[in-house]
């Protein structure tokens, strides 16, 4: 074991009365040894024995030969990013052989440098995902590597004090556990734990991966047994009455020989804990017996940190190192501090001891001690985020150097721990003198607002922006930018009309509307109207923005206006104008370098959004990827949750299904971290759509249901409409077309689906026709198909055309299968022409089915075999299975996956797709479904679907039989 916290097993008597708790520990370790990833949470009040139980877990794990790494959060350092994970992992990782870390990809190692100081200083990681998502994935992968030689027990104590980044990281790892035998054991106080920590633990408990242990107070008999060597029975009973059966309180009072204060049971504050007065008095008495120099070093250690280094404790105390070392010996002898497993690092006996020491130190002396610590860390070359904690405690009002340190520290962590960054921006603001330049104050407020919004604190972000507007200049680009930001937060809070009025008032204030500021405000107004499905109003605002931008002649604003006009023209089916302005925007955007385009990212957002409506999926994916990278590089964090799912759908339509799922999972994670319900609903809609195309109906229904639940009743936003349509599709596919049709009509706004913009209206009219046919409502289905055909004729767009032809084929199938086959064939050709291979495959299945109904057996077989082959390669498994069912009805048993060239070992493995074979080999490695899902970055539901297909193809009914089939194939080959 190598870790920061003392994890020596306590004396046996300390764990009296903990039989059930220790049995739960043993059960968790046994499950870990069977290859499971799981978690254990010890929840209880201060002193109840949480750390003792974790120490017992540590000792028992080491007896079994497991790897144990442990760390603890500290009360007075709760602002240090990822501190508890660094405490647990950093020293061990630093001591690893380089070859172990070389198993990790370079981008993962680079990302780990943001969490572990020993790996800091390398090149920054990159990729089209949210920074927090990348960090969480990197730590998960590190845990998997650490657990390869033997199972890993990761112990995280006192999580009620952990920083926001650590809590988010823990939640992410619990949501998607490592694909390795890793036990994450945590301890926390219930009254001080953050809502986010509770949410993470409750979600893990509901998923069946977390066991919760809640140790209670000891009985009088257990207390006598525990104190038998320290006190006689009468004194032990008196101590028990004062301590209430709390093990730490019992031990602390026993140190005084059982002497009690008159009001011993009455609570007193010790930090955030309510502790019996007798215990506080006992601690005070213990400290009072210390020599003055020894006590001063102990106070220096309380300021330096927990754990602490002797040199830093000495510097905080204002003592020389030799004297501090002598004092440390005395403190160790009195058991006020203890050794850890890391050389030259020590911890207090208990966090309450440290708190008592810190509170008892004179306030003015503490300020100077923090100042000395900050100076010592600066001399060592420590980064700003390591110094900021002490600077915040010690800085004087108006201290420019301290303000710069806090700003630098906040900037460094804002991407990954925005809540912590908001705290340090706030501290810098409090230090600013009244005479500070307005630009400096406004800059800090804007940065803090951005961090607060990323942390999901939208009301606080809004208030900060209001203050920035009041502090800022009365006119100019900065004021416009702040107002637009404030309106964006209004929209995040679903105050769309408030946002509109704010933007219109700001536009009216401008002396010159055809300025860059005016164009930006008008584009924001167009986006506001489009979100609320006022597509004509959005087009009108966009046209005005374009007119002003043309007069202005600056490429950035003109690109924004042209892209917005192109998108809104597509919304209202003016395809000629949409294509013209798309081409204009495309030329401008592609000609601008990233640094020039960064302030005008709306141009890229609306450009790739229009490409989703104009049959340009591959180009849209390329533009969306560029947009995400620029947003990440320039800290435009509010854009991530909306960008990533759009990128995912563009990839999906291009046939890149697995990449799409990865982007959409990242979008969901980013939206959950941000606490942004609109963005989460949007990401879930896109994930559900991708799951439908992959054939994972359970995931599609689950994601669609959550998405709809996040939108308000009667929500008339574009997000609300799309969420209802995708859930309706899932409901129809699951065998309830009547309810599916009803929800589609509600989401689309009626039989003509007016709430769905542009060519996608034809797509959802096709979905409506399918649902109506399933519900036996053929006339209504025919009307939906006819409307889709009218729209296709009006726009000439491929998306509308193949959707309309597919709808026509569905309607004609029962009465005129030859006409249905012809229409479906046209749909195939159109989908292929616009580069939508999955949609082409779906249309081809319908074509083959119609040909079979028309008696064209050979033609049907040829079409269905091609469909099955292509859909299999794309990962559209349910549609592939539908094609194979039709082939079996036509008498074909030797399906394409059963006749692939290659293996002839009789195992059936040659029938598996690459992904299915990958999963089968992970089954051989005894991976559970959640572990496989985590390793492949897929949902557990998707893994379950794949495994069902593996069972079906191999003709087996258990995972053991899958493993045997793989092993037979390996022996044969």
């Amino acid at each position: 074991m190598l870790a920061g916290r003392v994890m020596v097993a306590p004396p046996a008597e300390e764990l009296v009365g903990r039989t059930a708790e220790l049995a739960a520990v043993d059960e968790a370790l046994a499950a870990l040894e069977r290859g499971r990833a799981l978690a254990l949470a010890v929840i209880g009040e201060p002193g109840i024995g949480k750390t003792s139980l974790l120490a017992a877990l540590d000792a028992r794990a080491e007896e079994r030969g497991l790897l144990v790494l442990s760390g603890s959060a500290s009360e007075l350092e709760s602002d240090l990013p990822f501190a508890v994970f660094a405490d647990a992992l950093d020293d061990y990782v630093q001591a690893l052989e380089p070859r172990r870390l070389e198993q990790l990809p370079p981008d993962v190692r680079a990302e780990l440098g943001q969490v572990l100081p020993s790996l800091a200083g390398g090149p920054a990681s990159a990729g089209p995902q949210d920074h927090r998502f990348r960090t969480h994935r990197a730590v998960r992968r590190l845990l998997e590597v650490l657990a390869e030689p033997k199972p890993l027990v990761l112990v995280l104590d006192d999580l009620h004090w952990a920083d926001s980044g650590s809590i988010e990281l823990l939640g992410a790892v619990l949501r998607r556990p490592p694909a390795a035998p890793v036990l994450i054991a945590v301890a926390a106080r219930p009254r001080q734990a953050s809502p986010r920590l509770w949410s993470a633990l409750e979600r893990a408990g509901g998923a069946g991966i977390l066991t919760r242990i809640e140790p209670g107070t000891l009985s009088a008999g257990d207390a006598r047994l525990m104190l038998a060597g320290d006190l006689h029975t009468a004194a032990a009973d008196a101590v028990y009455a004062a301590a209430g059966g709390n093990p730490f309180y019992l031990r602390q009072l026993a140190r005084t020989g059982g002497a009690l204060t008159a009001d011993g049971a009455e609570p007193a504050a010790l930090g955030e804990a309510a502790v019996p007065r007798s215990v506080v008095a006992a601690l005070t008495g213990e400290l009072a017996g210390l020599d003055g120099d020894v006590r001063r070093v102990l106070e220096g250690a309380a300021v330096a940190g927990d754990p602490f280094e002797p040199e830093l404790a000495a510097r905080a105390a204002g003592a020389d190192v030799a004297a501090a070392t002598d004092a440390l010996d005395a403190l160790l002898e009195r058991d006020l501090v203890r050794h850890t497993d890391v050389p030259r690092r020590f911890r207090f006996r208990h966090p309450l001891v440290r708190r008592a020491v810190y509170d008892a130190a004179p306030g003015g002396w503490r300020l100077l001690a923090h100042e000395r610590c900050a100076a010592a860390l600066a001399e060592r070359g420590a980064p700003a985020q390591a110094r900021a904690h002490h600077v915040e405690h010690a800085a004087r009002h108006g201290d420019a150097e301290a303000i710069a340190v806090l700003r630098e520290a906040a900037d460094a962590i804002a991407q990954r721990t925005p809540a912590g960054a908001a705290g340090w921006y706030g501290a810098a603001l409090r230090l600013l003198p009244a005479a500070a330049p307005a630009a400096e104050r406004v800059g800090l407020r804007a940065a803090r607002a951005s961090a607060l919004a990323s942390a999901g604190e939208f009301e606080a972000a809004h208030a900060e922006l209001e203050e920035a507007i009041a502090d800022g200049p009365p006119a100019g680009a900065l004021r416009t930018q702040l107002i637009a930001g404030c309106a964006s937060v209004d929209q995040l809070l679903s105050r769309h009309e408030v946002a509109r009025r704010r933007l219109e008032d700001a536009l009216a204030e401008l002396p010159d509307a055809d300025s860059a500021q005016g164009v930006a405000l008008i584009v924001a107004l167009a986006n506001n109207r489009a979100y609320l499905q006022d597509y004509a109003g959005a087009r009108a605002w966009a046209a005005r923005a374009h007119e002003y931008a043309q007069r202005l002649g600056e490429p950035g604003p003109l690109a924004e206006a042209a892209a917005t006009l192109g998108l809104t023209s597509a919304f209202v089916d003016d395809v000629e104008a949409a294509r013209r302005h798309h081409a204009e925007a495309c030329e401008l955007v592609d000609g601008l370098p990233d640094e020039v385009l960064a302030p005008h990212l709306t141009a890229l957002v609306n450009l790739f959004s229009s490409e989703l409506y104009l049959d340009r999926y591959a180009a849209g994916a390329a533009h969306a990827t560029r947009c995400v990278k620029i947003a990440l590089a320039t800290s435009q964090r509010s854009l991530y949750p909306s960008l990533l799912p759009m990128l995912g759908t563009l990839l999906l339509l291009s046939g890149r299904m697995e990449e799409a799922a990865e982007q959409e999972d990242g979008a969901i994670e980013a939206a959950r971290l941000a606490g942004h319900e609109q963005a989460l609903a949007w990401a879930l809609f896109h994930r559900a759509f991708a799951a439908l195309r992959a054939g994972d109906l359970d995931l599609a229904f689950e994601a669609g249901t959550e998405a709809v639940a996040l939108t308000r009743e009667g929500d008339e936003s574009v997000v609300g409409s799309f969420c209802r349509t995708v859930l309706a599709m899932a409901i129809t596919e699951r065998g309830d077309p009547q309810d599916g049709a009803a929800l589609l009509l509600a989401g689309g706004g009626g039989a003509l689906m007016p709430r769905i913009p542009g060519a996608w209206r034809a797509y959802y009219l096709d979905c409506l026709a399918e649902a109506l046919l399933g519900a036996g409502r053929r006339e209504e289905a025919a009307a939906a198909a006819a409307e889709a055909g009218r729209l296709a004729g009006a726009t000439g767009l491929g998306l509308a055309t193949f959707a309309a032809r597919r709808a026509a084929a569905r309607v004609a199938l029962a009465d005129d299968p030859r006409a249905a086959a012809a229409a479906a064939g046209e749909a195939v050709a159109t989908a292929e022409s616009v580069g939508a291979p999955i949609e082409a495959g779906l249309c081809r299945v319908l074509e083959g089915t119609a040909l079979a109904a028309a008696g064209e057996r050979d033609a049907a077989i040829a079409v269905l075999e091609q469909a099955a082959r292509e859909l299999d390669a794309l990962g559209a498994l349910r549609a592939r299975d539908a094609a194979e069912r039709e082939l079996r009805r036509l008498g074909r048993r030797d399906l394409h996956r059963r006749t692939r060239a290659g293996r002839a070992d009789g195992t059936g493995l040659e029938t598996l797709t690459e992904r299915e074979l990958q999963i089968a080999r992970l089954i051989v490695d005894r991976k559970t479904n959640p572990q496989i899902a985590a390793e492949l970055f897929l949902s557990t539901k998707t893994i379950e679907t794949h495994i069902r297909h593996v069972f079906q193809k191999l003709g087996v009914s258990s995972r053991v039989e899958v493993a045997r089939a793989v092993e037979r194939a390996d022996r044969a080959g």
Side-chain angles (χ1 to χ4, degrees), residues 502-517:
R502 186 185 299 278
L503 292 168
E504 288 179 347
D505 289 347
L507 183 63
E509 287 180 8
L510 289 179
D512 189 0
D514 56 359
S515 61
Q517 294 80 37

Side-chain angles (χ1 to χ4, degrees), residues 437-485:
E440 184 176 7
R441 188 179 303 279
V442 170
L444 280 170
R445 289 200 184 282
R448 184 165 189 264
S450 177
L452 287 166
S454 293
E457 299 289 341
F458 300 122
E459 290 288 3
H462 192 275
E464 200 67 67
L465 285 168
E466 292 274 21
E467 292 285 347
I469 292 168
D471 288 342
L478 178 59
R479 178 175 175 80
T480 301
Q481 183 181 354
L482 291 171
I483 290 172

Side-chain angles (χ1 to χ4, degrees), residues 23-80:
V25 165
D26 288 335
E27 185 177 338
L29 290 173
L32 177 67
E33 290 182 311
R34 292 193 295 271
R36 281 197 62 192
L38 68 161
L40 193 69
V42 185
I43 307 298
E45 298 298 335
I48 204 67
K50 300 183 296 297
T51 299
S52 294
L53 280 168
L54 292 181
L57 166 67
D58 181 308
R60 292 176 183 221
E62 289 204 320
E63 287 173 3
R64 294 169 181 250
L66 309 180
L67 172 65
V68 183
L69 301 175
S70 53
S72 177
S74 294
E75 181 181 11
L76 302 177
E77 287 83 34
S78 60
D79 52 355
L80 298 179

Side-chain angles (χ1 to χ4, degrees), residues 879-897:
R880 175 205 66 196
D881 291 347
E884 291 184 347
R885 282 194 301 274
E886 289 299 324
L887 285 166
R888 282 192 287 272
R889 289 192 186 102
L890 294 169
R892 290 301 296 267
R893 299 286 180 240
D894 54 336
L895 303 183
H896 78 284
R897 287 177 292 122

Side-chain angles (χ1 to χ4, degrees), residues 681-888:
W682 186 237
L684 287 164
F685 152 67
H686 286 271
R687 188 68 186 93
F689 185 78
L692 280 171
R693 289 299 167 250
D696 190 342
L697 297 189
D698 290 340
L699 176 59
F701 181 77
E702 178 184 306
T705 299
E706 184 180 358
V708 169
L710 288 166
T711 60
R712 298 182 179 184
E713 187 69 29
D715 186 348
E716 295 185 0
S717 74
V718 68
V719 172
S721 290
F722 276 117
C723 288
R724 282 161 176 76
T725 56
V726 81
L727 178 57
M729 291 169 67
I731 289 171
T732 298
E733 292 279 339
R734 281 161 60 98
D736 189 354
Q738 191 73 258
D739 283 354
L743 191 54
L744 269 167
L745 290 165
L752 300 181
M753 307 205 82
R755 291 181 183 169
I756 306 299
W760 282 93
R761 186 156 63 91
Y763 190 93
Y764 286 106
L765 283 164
D766 171 41
C767 297
L768 178 61
E770 180 184 20
L772 290 168
L773 285 169
R777 297 156 64 179
R778 190 178 184 282
E779 288 187 9
E780 292 173 79
E787 176 62 17
R790 187 202 64 75
L791 183 61
T795 66
L797 289 169
L799 174 66
T801 300
F802 77 68
R805 300 311 297 151
R806 186 163 62 194
R810 294 187 202 280
V811 173
L813 182 59
D815 296 333
D816 190 349
R818 292 184 186 280
E826 293 169 6
V828 170
T830 305
E832 287 181 331
S833 72
V834 298
I838 296 173
E839 297 295 337
L842 295 172
C843 296
R844 190 169 269 123
V845 174
L846 181 57
E847 180 188 11
T849 303
L851 286 168
E856 301 285 346
R857 180 178 181 275
D858 291 344
I861 287 173
V863 168
L864 289 167
E865 284 188 335
Q866 182 180 356
R869 191 164 50 248
E870 292 174 352
L871 291 165
D872 182 54
L874 292 165
L877 305 183
R878 191 164 184 271
R880 175 205 66 196
D881 291 347
E884 291 184 347
R885 282 194 301 274
E886 289 299 324
L887 285 166
R888 282 192 287 272

Side-chain angles (χ1 to χ4, degrees), residues 144-358:
E144 291 166 354
V145 167
L146 296 180
E148 282 177 3
K150 52 187 175 182
L152 167 65
V153 178
L154 179 65
V155 178
L156 305 174
D157 201 1
D158 291 329
L159 275 189
H160 46 275
W161 289 322
D163 64 284
S164 61
S166 292
I167 297 301
E168 289 179 352
L169 174 53
L170 174 68
V173 174
L174 291 179
R175 273 195 300 275
R176 185 174 287 176
V182 177
L183 169 60
I184 300 176
V186 306
R189 298 177 186 173
R191 297 181 188 178
Q192 293 166 243
S194 68
R196 185 158 288 197
L197 173 58
W198 277 127
S199 175
L201 297 179
E202 288 174 3
R203 187 181 297 111
I209 68 166
L210 180 138
T211 299
R212 183 162 165 164
I213 298 175
E214 299 185 55
T217 55
L218 299 178
S219 67
D222 287 336
R224 290 191 202 101
L225 181 60
M226 193 181 86
L227 300 175
D230 300 319
L231 298 173
H232 57 77
T233 301
D237 287 345
V239 165
Y240 178 79
N246 182 295
F248 174 76
Y249 300 166
L250 289 165
R251 284 285 182 202
Q252 186 60 46
L253 292 176
R255 288 174 177 271
T256 67
L260 304 175
T261 62
D263 55 353
E266 291 297 316
L270 195 57
E272 295 179 353
V275 180
R277 292 186 185 277
S278 288
V279 176
V280 175
L283 283 169
T284 303
E286 191 176 2
L287 298 177
L290 295 175
D291 173 81
D293 292 339
V294 172
R295 176 158 184 165
R296 190 61 71 204
V297 170
L298 183 65
E299 290 169 342
V303 169
D306 193 18
F308 64 88
E309 298 173 18
E311 293 80 4
L312 196 58
R315 185 68 174 271
D320 62 66
V321 175
T325 303
D326 291 340
L328 184 59
D329 288 337
L331 295 170
L332 288 166
E333 184 178 351
R334 289 174 177 258
D335 194 31
L336 284 163
V337 300
R338 295 175 178 175
H339 292 280
T340 72
D341 297 290
V342 180
R344 305 190 68 78
R345 193 175 297 173
F346 302 86
R347 276 200 184 275
F348 282 81
R349 182 177 79 227
H350 193 278
L352 290 175
V353 175
R354 183 198 182 192
R355 185 78 230 195
V357 172
Y358 187 86

